Amino acid sequence: MSALNLVMLGPPGAGKGTQAERLARAHGIPRISTGDILREAVAAGTEIGRLAKAIVDRGELVGDGVVIGIVQERLDRDDVRRGFVLDGFPRTVAQAQALDRMMDGADPLVVVDIVVPEDELVRRLLTRMVCESCGATAGGMDGGATPANCRKCGGRLVQRSDDNKRVVLERLRVYLRETKPLVEYYSARPTFRSIDGTQAPDCVASALVRAIQEVDGGPPGSEEGRR
Ligand code: ADP
Ligand code: ZN
Protein backbone atom coordinates (compact mmCIF):
# COMPACT_ATOMS: atom_id res chain seq x y z
CA MET A 1 0.00 0.00 0.00
CA SER A 2 1.33 3.41 -0.89
CA ALA A 3 1.71 6.21 1.62
CA LEU A 4 -0.32 9.43 1.45
CA ASN A 5 2.27 12.21 1.59
CA LEU A 6 0.04 15.26 1.67
CA VAL A 7 0.94 18.96 1.65
CA MET A 8 -1.77 21.50 2.50
CA LEU A 9 -1.11 24.88 0.92
CA GLY A 10 -3.16 28.00 1.45
CA PRO A 11 -3.15 31.36 3.21
CA PRO A 12 -3.58 31.81 6.98
CA GLY A 13 -7.27 31.43 7.76
CA ALA A 14 -7.99 29.11 4.82
CA GLY A 15 -8.96 26.31 7.20
CA LYS A 16 -5.85 24.19 6.62
CA GLY A 17 -5.55 23.15 10.25
CA THR A 18 -9.13 21.87 10.60
CA GLN A 19 -9.01 20.00 7.31
CA ALA A 20 -5.53 18.62 7.95
CA GLU A 21 -6.73 17.25 11.28
CA ARG A 22 -9.73 15.51 9.66
CA LEU A 23 -7.65 13.98 6.87
CA ALA A 24 -4.96 12.79 9.24
CA ARG A 25 -7.56 11.09 11.43
CA ALA A 26 -9.34 9.51 8.44
CA HIS A 27 -6.10 8.04 7.09
CA GLY A 28 -4.56 7.18 10.46
CA ILE A 29 -1.46 9.25 9.71
CA PRO A 30 0.06 12.15 11.67
CA ARG A 31 -0.68 15.81 11.01
CA ILE A 32 2.50 17.81 11.17
CA SER A 33 1.85 21.50 11.81
CA THR A 34 4.97 23.63 12.00
CA GLY A 35 2.86 26.42 13.58
CA ASP A 36 1.77 24.06 16.39
CA ILE A 37 5.30 22.74 16.87
CA LEU A 38 6.64 26.32 17.12
CA ARG A 39 3.87 27.38 19.54
CA GLU A 40 4.63 24.32 21.70
CA ALA A 41 8.32 25.25 21.67
CA VAL A 42 7.42 28.80 22.74
CA ALA A 43 5.20 27.50 25.55
CA ALA A 44 7.88 25.06 26.72
CA GLY A 45 10.57 27.77 26.59
CA THR A 46 13.02 25.68 24.56
CA GLU A 47 15.86 27.31 22.64
CA ILE A 48 13.89 27.20 19.39
CA GLY A 49 10.88 28.61 21.25
CA ARG A 50 12.84 31.57 22.59
CA LEU A 51 14.18 32.22 19.11
CA ALA A 52 10.76 31.91 17.43
CA LYS A 53 8.50 33.85 19.80
CA ALA A 54 9.18 37.40 18.63
CA ILE A 55 9.13 36.34 14.97
CA VAL A 56 5.77 34.53 15.27
CA ASP A 57 4.30 37.46 17.22
CA ARG A 58 5.26 39.85 14.44
CA GLY A 59 3.72 37.57 11.79
CA GLU A 60 7.03 36.97 10.08
CA LEU A 61 8.54 33.64 9.08
CA VAL A 62 10.91 31.69 11.25
CA GLY A 63 14.17 31.01 9.40
CA ASP A 64 14.17 28.27 6.77
CA GLY A 65 17.04 26.42 8.46
CA VAL A 66 15.18 26.11 11.77
CA VAL A 67 11.87 25.00 10.25
CA ILE A 68 13.48 22.61 7.78
CA GLY A 69 15.38 21.04 10.70
CA ILE A 70 12.12 20.58 12.64
CA VAL A 71 10.39 18.88 9.70
CA GLN A 72 13.40 16.75 8.80
CA GLU A 73 13.52 15.42 12.34
CA ARG A 74 9.78 14.78 12.39
CA LEU A 75 9.83 12.93 9.06
CA ASP A 76 12.59 10.66 10.35
CA ARG A 77 10.18 9.14 12.87
CA ASP A 78 8.57 5.76 12.23
CA ASP A 79 4.95 6.90 12.36
CA VAL A 80 5.15 8.63 8.95
CA ARG A 81 5.76 5.41 7.05
CA ARG A 82 2.11 5.27 5.92
CA GLY A 83 2.13 8.98 5.18
CA PHE A 84 1.61 12.39 6.78
CA VAL A 85 -0.31 15.62 6.41
CA LEU A 86 1.93 18.68 6.37
CA ASP A 87 0.13 21.83 7.53
CA GLY A 88 2.02 25.14 7.32
CA PHE A 89 5.11 23.69 5.65
CA PRO A 90 6.54 24.41 3.14
CA ARG A 91 6.02 28.18 3.24
CA THR A 92 8.94 29.27 1.04
CA VAL A 93 10.49 27.96 -2.17
CA ALA A 94 13.64 27.01 -0.22
CA GLN A 95 11.48 24.91 2.16
CA ALA A 96 9.72 23.25 -0.80
CA GLN A 97 13.07 22.38 -2.38
CA ALA A 98 14.29 20.94 0.93
CA LEU A 99 11.10 18.85 1.20
CA ASP A 100 11.60 17.50 -2.31
CA ARG A 101 15.10 16.43 -1.29
CA MET A 102 13.72 14.73 1.84
CA MET A 103 11.13 12.90 -0.31
CA ASP A 104 13.70 11.50 -2.72
CA GLY A 105 12.60 7.92 -3.40
CA ALA A 106 9.33 8.25 -1.42
CA ASP A 107 5.79 8.26 -2.83
CA PRO A 108 5.02 11.51 -4.66
CA LEU A 109 3.72 14.49 -2.70
CA VAL A 110 0.01 15.18 -3.09
CA VAL A 111 -0.40 18.95 -2.92
CA VAL A 112 -3.73 20.67 -2.28
CA ASP A 113 -4.13 24.44 -2.30
CA ILE A 114 -7.11 25.82 -0.37
CA VAL A 115 -8.19 29.08 -2.01
CA VAL A 116 -10.00 31.85 -0.08
CA PRO A 117 -10.19 35.58 -0.99
CA GLU A 118 -8.32 38.02 1.22
CA ASP A 119 -11.27 39.92 2.73
CA GLU A 120 -12.77 36.65 3.94
CA LEU A 121 -9.42 35.60 5.46
CA VAL A 122 -9.15 38.83 7.43
CA ARG A 123 -12.70 38.41 8.73
CA ARG A 124 -12.05 34.82 9.79
CA LEU A 125 -8.71 35.48 11.48
CA LEU A 126 -9.96 38.46 13.45
CA THR A 127 -12.98 36.56 14.78
CA ARG A 128 -11.49 33.13 15.42
CA MET A 129 -10.77 31.80 18.89
CA VAL A 130 -8.59 28.85 19.82
CA CYS A 131 -8.81 26.44 22.75
CA GLU A 132 -6.15 27.08 25.36
CA SER A 133 -5.93 23.37 26.22
CA CYS A 134 -6.27 21.42 22.96
CA GLY A 135 -5.67 24.07 20.27
CA ALA A 136 -8.98 23.47 18.47
CA THR A 137 -10.38 26.43 16.51
CA ALA A 138 -13.81 27.89 17.31
CA GLY A 139 -15.95 30.54 15.64
CA GLY A 140 -14.83 32.81 12.83
CA MET A 141 -13.79 30.07 10.48
CA ASP A 142 -17.16 28.46 9.85
CA GLY A 143 -19.28 31.59 10.08
CA GLY A 144 -21.16 30.18 13.09
CA ALA A 145 -21.49 31.80 16.49
CA THR A 146 -18.53 31.40 18.84
CA PRO A 147 -19.34 29.01 21.68
CA ALA A 148 -18.42 29.89 25.28
CA ASN A 149 -16.03 26.93 25.64
CA CYS A 150 -14.19 24.43 23.46
CA ARG A 151 -16.61 21.96 21.87
CA LYS A 152 -14.01 19.19 22.01
CA CYS A 153 -12.64 19.43 25.54
CA GLY A 154 -14.51 22.24 27.31
CA GLY A 155 -11.29 24.28 27.58
CA ARG A 156 -11.10 28.07 27.72
CA LEU A 157 -11.18 29.89 24.35
CA VAL A 158 -8.62 32.61 23.76
CA GLN A 159 -7.48 34.73 20.84
CA ARG A 160 -4.14 33.66 19.37
CA SER A 161 -1.43 36.26 20.09
CA ASP A 162 -0.85 36.71 16.33
CA ASP A 163 -4.54 37.09 15.42
CA ASN A 164 -4.73 40.89 15.85
CA LYS A 165 -5.25 43.25 12.92
CA ARG A 166 -1.69 44.47 12.43
CA VAL A 167 -0.18 40.98 12.61
CA VAL A 168 -2.93 39.42 10.48
CA LEU A 169 -2.25 41.91 7.68
CA GLU A 170 1.48 41.24 7.97
CA ARG A 171 0.91 37.43 7.78
CA LEU A 172 -1.16 37.93 4.62
CA ARG A 173 1.58 40.11 3.07
CA VAL A 174 4.19 37.48 3.95
CA TYR A 175 1.93 34.80 2.47
CA LEU A 176 1.62 36.66 -0.85
CA ARG A 177 5.33 37.33 -1.04
CA GLU A 178 6.82 34.02 0.21
CA THR A 179 4.20 31.25 0.06
CA LYS A 180 1.90 32.00 -2.89
CA PRO A 181 4.83 31.37 -5.31
CA LEU A 182 4.59 27.73 -4.19
CA VAL A 183 1.37 27.39 -6.19
CA GLU A 184 3.48 28.02 -9.27
CA TYR A 185 6.20 25.70 -7.93
CA TYR A 186 3.77 22.77 -7.61
CA SER A 187 0.97 23.45 -10.09
CA ALA A 188 2.51 21.63 -13.06
CA ARG A 189 2.64 18.37 -11.09
CA PRO A 190 -0.11 15.81 -11.85
CA THR A 191 -0.66 15.44 -8.08
CA PHE A 192 -1.59 19.13 -7.54
CA ARG A 193 -5.21 20.24 -6.97
CA SER A 194 -6.81 23.47 -5.83
CA ILE A 195 -9.93 23.56 -3.67
CA ASP A 196 -12.51 26.31 -3.06
CA GLY A 197 -12.05 27.10 0.63
CA THR A 198 -15.07 29.42 0.89
CA GLN A 199 -17.47 26.45 1.03
CA ALA A 200 -18.78 25.09 4.34
CA PRO A 201 -16.15 23.00 6.19
CA ASP A 202 -17.94 19.70 5.35
CA CYS A 203 -17.99 20.60 1.64
CA VAL A 204 -14.31 21.54 1.70
CA ALA A 205 -13.66 18.18 3.39
CA SER A 206 -15.51 16.23 0.65
CA ALA A 207 -13.80 18.22 -2.08
CA LEU A 208 -10.45 17.30 -0.51
CA VAL A 209 -11.36 13.61 -0.30
CA ARG A 210 -12.35 13.66 -4.00
CA ALA A 211 -9.16 15.48 -5.01
CA ILE A 212 -6.97 13.05 -3.07
CA GLN A 213 -8.79 10.04 -4.58
CA GLU A 214 -8.27 11.46 -8.05
CA VAL A 215 -4.55 11.89 -7.72
CA ASP A 216 -3.68 9.15 -5.25
CA GLY A 217 -5.98 6.27 -6.18
CA GLY A 218 -8.22 6.59 -3.14
CA PRO A 219 -7.91 6.09 0.62
CA PRO A 220 -6.68 2.77 2.06
CA GLY A 221 -9.24 0.02 1.51
CA SER A 222 -11.21 1.88 -1.15
CA GLU A 223 -11.32 -0.36 -4.22
CA GLU A 224 -13.37 2.21 -6.07
CA GLY A 225 -10.68 4.82 -5.86
CA ARG A 226 -7.98 2.43 -7.00
CA ARG A 227 -9.44 1.58 -10.42
P1 ADP B 1 -1.52 30.42 10.15
O1 ADP B 1 -1.46 29.49 8.97
O2 ADP B 1 -2.84 30.51 10.80
O3 ADP B 1 -0.91 31.76 9.89
P2 ADP B 1 0.43 28.73 11.61
O4 ADP B 1 -0.04 28.17 12.88
O5 ADP B 1 0.63 27.80 10.46
O6 ADP B 1 -0.57 29.91 11.28
O7 ADP B 1 1.83 29.51 11.84
C1 ADP B 1 1.96 30.52 12.81
C2 ADP B 1 3.31 31.20 12.69
O8 ADP B 1 4.37 30.24 12.88
C3 ADP B 1 3.61 31.81 11.32
O9 ADP B 1 3.05 33.10 11.19
C4 ADP B 1 5.15 31.83 11.34
O10 ADP B 1 5.65 32.88 12.12
C5 ADP B 1 5.48 30.53 12.04
N1 ADP B 1 5.63 29.42 11.06
C6 ADP B 1 4.83 28.33 10.94
N2 ADP B 1 5.23 27.52 9.94
C7 ADP B 1 6.33 28.11 9.40
C8 ADP B 1 7.21 27.78 8.32
N3 ADP B 1 7.01 26.67 7.57
N4 ADP B 1 8.23 28.63 8.06
C9 ADP B 1 8.45 29.73 8.79
N5 ADP B 1 7.66 30.11 9.81
C10 ADP B 1 6.60 29.32 10.13
ZN1 ZN C 1 -10.22 22.15 23.59
Side-chain angles (χ1 to χ4, degrees), residues 47-86:
E47 197 186 326
I48 286 180
R50 282 197 297 276
L51 192 140
K53 181 169 186 349
I55 301 173
V56 172
D57 281 345
R58 284 198 301 269
E60 293 166 12
L61 294 184
V62 174
D64 285 333
V66 171
V67 187
I68 290 167
I70 289 174
V71 172
Q72 175 95 64
E73 203 170 287
R74 186 63 189 81
L75 291 182
D76 276 342
R77 277 164 50 181
D78 272 353
D79 62 346
V80 301
R81 259 177 315 183
R82 294 180 47 229
F84 53 80
V85 182
L86 271 175

Side-chain angles (χ1 to χ4, degrees), residues 131 134 150 152-153 155:
C131 173
C134 77
C150 176
K152 284 192 186 150
C153 77

Side-chain angles (χ1 to χ4, degrees), residues 213-227:
Q213 260 172 19
E214 251 173 59
V215 300
D216 200 51
S222 150
E223 286 309 317
E224 201 186 329
R226 213 161 288 162
R227 256 178 278 165

Side-chain angles (χ1 to χ4, degrees), residues 12 16 34 39 60 62 67 88 91 95 128 160 171:
K16 292 189 301 291
T34 44
R39 277 185 292 276
E60 293 166 12
V62 174
V67 187
R91 254 180 162 92
Q95 292 177 18
R128 85 169 162 189
R160 234 170 70 174
R171 279 157 62 208

